[in-house]
């Protein structure tokens, strides 16, 4: 029984990586610019460019995905574009109400 559970947990790893890659790719194709959404339509172009550089949005897709996965493996869910707070803290703050 333990062997079966371990085997299933190991099989779960490529599924989770595949799903995260698919979702990351779909969000990358979504219309709109996260920098403009976070800063508003009245933001100056240099502010938008600085935000994109700060958040790593100018990096190629694969670099952003690898950085995201490396952070995720360390427990870092990233930074919210809107509030610029760590996503992990926002999730934990809302978890009791969700549960």
């Amino acid at each position: 029984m333990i062997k079966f559970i371990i085997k299933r947990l190991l099989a779960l790893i490529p599924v989770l990586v595949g799903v995260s890659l698919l979702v990351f790719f779909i969000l990358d194709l979504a219309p709109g610019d996260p920098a403009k959404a976070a800063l508003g339509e009245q933001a100056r172009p240099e502010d938008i460019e600085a935000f994109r550089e700060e958040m790593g949005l100018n990096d190629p897709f694969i670099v952003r995905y690898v950085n995201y996965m490396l952070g995720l493996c360390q427990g870092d869910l990233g930074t919210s574009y809107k509030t610029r707070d760590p996503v992990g803290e926002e999730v934990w703050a809302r978890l009791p109400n969700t549960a």
Side-chain angles (χ1 to χ4, degrees), residues 3 15-16 24 39 41 57 59 64 70 74 76 84 91:
K3 190 175 182 181
V15 172
L16 290 175
F24 204 87
L39 298 176
E41 291 296 323
L57 296 171
D59 295 337
R64 285 184 284 130
L70 289 174
Q74 298 172 2
D76 179 15
R84 296 188 188 173
V91 170

Side-chain angles (χ1 to χ4, degrees), residues 8-19:
R8 295 298 261 184
L9 288 175
L10 289 175
L12 184 63
I13 294 170
V15 172
L16 290 175
V17 170
V19 168

Side-chain angles (χ1 to χ4, degrees), residues 74-87:
Q74 298 172 2
D76 179 15
L77 297 177
T79 304
S80 170
Y81 294 144
K82 197 163 209 128
T83 64
R84 296 188 188 173
D85 292 332
V87 173

Side-chain angles (χ1 to χ4, degrees), residues 8-82:
R8 295 298 261 184
L9 288 175
L10 289 175
L12 184 63
I13 294 170
V15 172
L16 290 175
V17 170
V19 168
S20 72
L21 182 61
L22 182 66
V23 169
F24 204 87
F25 182 68
I26 289 171
L27 288 175
D28 191 57
L29 292 178
D33 183 9
K36 282 184 182 176
L39 298 176
E41 291 296 323
Q42 305 302 328
R44 298 180 315 191
E46 52 271 8
D47 292 338
I48 291 173
E49 190 58 35
F51 182 86
R52 292 181 62 75
E53 196 62 41
E54 174 189 341
M55 300 301 271
L57 296 171
N58 288 336
D59 295 337
F61 171 80
I62 194 69
V63 172
R64 285 184 284 130
Y65 179 73
V66 168
N67 288 338
Y68 170 72
M69 290 303 289
L70 289 174
L72 194 60
C73 289
Q74 298 172 2
D76 179 15
L77 297 177
T79 304
S80 170
Y81 294 144
K82 197 163 209 128

